[in-house]
Amino acid sequence: MTDDTTRGTLIDGIHYHQHDVVIVGAGGAGMRAAIEAGPHANTAVISKLYPTRSHTGAAQGGMAAALANVEEDNWEWHTFDTVKGGDYLVDQDAAEILAKEAIDAVIDLENMGLPFNRTPDGKIDQRRFGGHTAEHGKAPVRRACYAADRTGHMILQTLYQNCVKHGINFFNEFYVLDLLMTDVPGEKKGTTTRKPSGVVAYELATGEIHVFQAKAIIFATGGYGKIFKTTSNAHTLTGDGVGIIWRKGLPLEDMEFFQFHPTGLAGLGILLSEAARGEGAILRNSEGERFMERYAPTIKDLAPRDIIARCMATEIREGRGGGPNKDYVFLDITHLEPAVIDAKLPDITEFARTYLGVEPYYEPVPVLPTAHYAMGGIPTNVKAEVLSDNTTVVPGLYAAGECACVSVHGSNRLGTNSLLDINVFGKRAGKNAVEYVKTAEFVPLPVDPAAGVLAVLAGVRKGNGTERISDIRRELQESMDRNAQVYRTEKSLSEVTELIERLRARYKNIAVQDKGKRFNTDLLEAVELGFLLDLAEVLVYSARSRKESRGGHFREDFPTRDDANYLVHTMAYLTGDPESADAGEHIRLDTKPVVITNYPPMERKY
């Protein structure tokens, strides 16, 4: 046995660490939680990437807050827009917290040193974004605080530098592959309670296994957009954290709701931020028509993302798409001054030049909806505590950011509310975790805590099958694009379900070429593929059950919203082994009431 402060205690080849708070994920939510927890508790952040490579850095356009620096605004209007934008599936108590605490969240970042764009008198500048309005929907409002079109990048850098200032312990390029749960005596005699006791991680540089024991664990692992082929998400967004929670028998909420951002570069999915439309960009069809005037006459190109994505798809279906195959529409900023474009949209225009060879000064940019954001995920309450059912808290377990479902986004997230979400609920997760560990004791680790992870990795490494990981992943992604994207039907969703069953069988017969330990990304991609199959299946199964259209979930065979039967959250539970039966045999669906305070469901007009 050896003991090293940076490598932990080595016992039988496994490294053991002990921290009060362990945060899984070093994006915006994880690092905001760390800043809150680090000064008050022994905190460690475990990340599969170097922190400043986390996907928060890809967020471009802004962070919403009713500062009223440029136009009259208030948090109640922001709350209403969030609820309406989410097609009334938003929990309104959570939306009120999001909008109220948005103002302090922006000021916190300003005080940490984030270089926001400024008005001539030195205040934080603000611009328009889709779905954000004044006076409960009467007109667009300037609510998005921004740093050019690199807002997420600036937030990530600012949070990381402040984590360094606070001396946060980072374990970079460590893949967390398991959550350890231990049964402990309950409050009532003769009962037990499952509590988290730690996590197990694979160190990419060495192939060694590390066990992190903790009093409180925060999941901030981001989304899972790589279940789709056309996506704005990075290759690493494979839903590891959400998948781990699922495999532990804890529920997932509203998994059928996935956002397809209207303006991905055609054929690539690389994101062109809504900031462009916030600065005045116009969507046009092949006839040059500003078609959003027909669909959303009040706010036009600044309608919520789900509406615009469907309008674009409709234009293409009806033959008004551009290009040789008439399969995209155009984002036009040619009427904007080059100086404005360079000052406020530098990355967007560079992407168009680099990847499509289009000069945005003079040519409209081909765009198409791209899989962008998961509204569903790990269910939490407003304290960021993870739930084991509709109301029961898992003591010591928290989640924040895209991996969590609180639910402030309902069935469709408004642009700029994601960067807000990670800061508001990341802060809450860190703060509440600290309060918890003040009185909590370390929960004993299970016997041989790394056994499960070691068995999985050994099974993959020793596999000598004939199936390639990339082939299975490609078939899954292409089918999800075809059958579970902007438009869905029972037939299309059934096709994906049947394919996933076949892919699971093939997954048992995979082989990895790299049999080594150091930097074995081949091995980890095999593990990630398992998570992708799990999450795609839950999404599709939940979508088949919801026989209505709401927000990011549009069923052509049930094209209207049905509040009488479906104004509820979907709760999915794993009830058996996914590899032993079809989805109907190992997934159980239940519902959870939507919290409604001030805004009863109304018709969604823009």
Side-chain angles (χ1 to χ4, degrees):
M1 181 180 79
T2 62
D3 193 356
D4 186 294
T5 55
T6 59
R7 303 295 295 164
T9 301
L10 185 64
I11 304 174
D12 295 332
I14 306 296
H15 298 267
Y16 288 84
H17 309 257
Q18 192 177 76
H19 299 273
D20 293 327
V21 178
V22 164
I23 299 168
V24 184
M31 288 201 288
R32 187 63 188 87
I35 289 169
E36 205 64 28
H40 309 289
N42 182 350
T43 301
V45 179
I46 308 172
S47 175
K48 68 190 287 187
L49 300 170
Y50 191 76
T52 51
R53 288 187 60 222
S54 297
H55 203 60
T56 299
Q60 298 167 351
M63 175 174 165
L67 300 182
N69 285 352
V70 180
E71 296 176 340
E72 183 183 358
D73 199 4
N74 69 58
W75 68 266
E76 289 182 333
W77 297 349
H78 186 185
T79 302
F80 171 77
D81 291 337
T82 298
V83 172
K84 182 181 177 183
D87 217 348
Y88 295 93
L89 204 75
V90 171
D91 284 333
Q92 296 181 22
D93 57 341
E96 289 168 11
I97 288 168
L98 184 78
K100 274 184 181 179
E101 297 184 6
I103 296 165
D104 285 343
V106 169
I107 301 305
D108 284 348
L109 289 170
E110 181 182 38
N111 291 336
M112 290 181 201
L114 197 148
F116 285 109
N117 277 48
R118 299 282 171 175
T119 64
D121 57 356
K123 294 180 179 179
I124 295 172
D125 201 3
Q126 296 180 274
R127 62 182 167 207
R128 293 174 178 172
F129 242 74
H132 291 278
T133 68
E135 299 184 70
H136 302 95
K138 290 188 177 179
V141 70
R142 300 181 189 276
R143 185 177 289 149
C145 309
Y146 65 98
D149 56 357
R150 300 167 179 148
T151 314
H153 176 77
M154 296 300 186
I155 287 175
L156 201 62
Q157 299 289 336
T158 300
L159 292 177
Y160 181 60
Q161 290 179 18
N162 279 270
C163 283
V164 171
K165 181 176 76 173
H166 288 302
I168 304 298
N169 300 295
F170 280 93
F171 293 84
N172 299 327
E173 296 187 325
F174 279 60
Y175 279 56
V176 170
L177 297 176
D178 196 12
L179 168 67
L180 301 173
M181 303 285 285
T182 304
D183 288 330
V184 298
E187 293 182 4
K188 294 182 180 180
K189 188 176 180 180
T191 64
T192 59
T193 301
R194 287 183 82 205
K195 288 187 177 182
S197 52
V199 296
V200 183
Y202 173 94
E203 184 180 3
L204 185 61
T206 65
E208 295 175 328
I209 300 298
H210 294 251
V211 174
F212 293 82
Q213 187 179 21
K215 294 179 180 178
I217 298 168
I218 301 171
F219 273 73
T221 53
Y224 43 91
K226 292 306 289 185
I227 61 176
F228 294 94
K229 179 184 178 183
T230 305
T231 178
S232 65
N233 285 196
H235 188 69
T236 53
L237 283 183
T238 51
D240 312 346
V242 183
I244 288 167
I245 291 291
W246 174 245
R247 291 178 182 180
K248 284 296 166 183
L250 294 170
L252 299 180
E253 180 176 351
D254 288 343
M255 291 291 286
E256 64 267 41
F257 296 109
F258 207 96
Q259 182 170 89
F260 303 96
H261 195 293
T263 52
L265 287 179
L268 297 171
I270 296 169
L271 188 67
L272 295 188
S273 170
E274 203 164 308
R277 284 175 284 131
E279 296 296 339
I282 294 169
L283 287 164
R284 300 189 186 278
N285 58 26
S286 61
E287 299 167 5
E289 178 197 10
R290 185 181 188 177
F291 58 86
M292 284 307 301
E293 290 182 326
R294 285 190 274 113
Y295 298 99
T298 301
I299 57 177
K300 304 178 179 68
D301 304 279
L302 291 174
R305 291 172 176 174
D306 64 314
I307 292 174
I308 292 183
R310 286 194 296 276
C311 294
M312 291 169 64
T314 299
E315 290 296 298
I316 293 166
R317 281 183 166 194
E318 295 180 357
R320 294 186 291 276
N325 299 318
K326 297 185 177 294
D327 57 356
Y328 53 76
V329 296
F330 300 95
L331 184 71
D332 183 7
I333 61 172
T334 58
H335 54 289
L336 300 181
E337 289 292 330
V340 172
I341 295 171
D342 291 343
K344 295 188 175 183
L345 305 171
D347 277 0
I348 292 170
T349 50
E350 192 59 33
F351 291 160
R353 295 181 186 115
T354 301
Y355 296 109
L356 292 185
V358 170
E359 176 47 70
Y361 288 169
Y362 313 113
E363 304 171 83
V365 182
V367 291
L368 195 66
T370 182
H372 181 57
Y373 189 90
M375 273 76 74
I378 305 165
T380 73
N381 60 20
V382 295
K383 293 182 179 180
E385 297 170 314
V386 173
L387 302 175
S388 61
D389 55 32
N390 288 4
T391 57
T392 306
V393 168
V394 181
L397 188 59
Y398 303 83
E402 189 175 354
C403 73
C405 182
V406 64
S407 148
V408 287
H409 306 309
S411 60
N412 173 63
R413 177 179 66 76
L414 291 188
T416 70
N417 271 358
S418 59
L419 292 179
L420 176 58
D421 176 12
I422 61 176
N423 280 281
V424 168
F425 288 99
K427 178 178 180 178
R428 282 181 159 243
K431 186 173 183 179
N432 288 315
V434 165
E435 289 303 309
Y436 177 81
V437 303
K438 285 179 180 178
T439 58
E441 301 292 334
F442 284 101
V443 176
L445 293 169
V447 176
D448 200 1
V453 167
L454 287 170
V456 168
L457 295 179
V460 173
R461 190 181 279 115
K462 293 176 182 177
N464 57 1
T466 57
E467 293 288 350
R468 293 170 59 89
I469 297 156
S470 57
D471 289 342
I472 296 174
R473 184 176 60 225
R474 186 187 68 252
E475 288 187 42
L476 171 70
Q477 292 171 337
E478 289 177 351
S479 181
M480 290 293 289
D481 267 19
R482 232 179 9 254
N483 298 307
Q485 211 209 40
V486 175
Y487 289 113
R488 301 165 174 178
T489 64
E490 175 63 27
K491 181 180 178 182
S492 71
L493 295 170
S494 297
E495 183 177 318
V496 190
T497 304
E498 292 165 5
L499 174 68
I500 291 172
E501 289 178 28
R502 295 195 298 273
L503 294 180
R504 281 198 186 282
R506 291 169 56 188
Y507 183 62
K508 296 177 183 178
N509 192 36
I510 60 171
V512 295
Q513 293 177 320
D514 187 348
K515 306 295 184 181
K517 288 189 173 182
R518 295 178 180 273
F519 292 102
N520 191 340
T521 55
D522 200 14
L523 173 70
L524 291 169
E525 284 190 4
V527 176
E528 290 170 338
L529 177 57
F531 291 130
L532 291 176
L533 288 168
D534 284 353
L535 299 178
E537 183 177 54
V538 183
L539 185 155
V540 171
Y541 192 64
S542 299
R544 289 178 67 183
S545 176
R546 184 173 287 271
K547 294 176 171 57
E548 66 154 359
S549 291
R550 185 186 298 268
H553 168 74
F554 193 90
R555 288 283 299 264
E556 290 190 273
D557 42 357
F558 298 96
T560 57
R561 194 179 81 191
D562 181 358
D563 289 338
N565 294 301
Y566 293 102
L567 185 60
V568 288
H569 299 294
T570 302
M571 299 290 282
Y573 295 82
L574 181 63
T575 58
D577 182 359
E579 296 184 1
S580 64
D582 63 54
E585 309 245 339
H586 63 262
I587 297 176
R588 175 176 66 85
L589 296 184
D590 204 345
T591 61
K592 175 183 171 185
V594 175
V595 178
I596 297 174
T597 56
N598 297 319
Y599 305 108
M602 300 167 57
E603 187 179 356
R604 200 161 163 246
K605 289 184 177 180
Y606 286 97

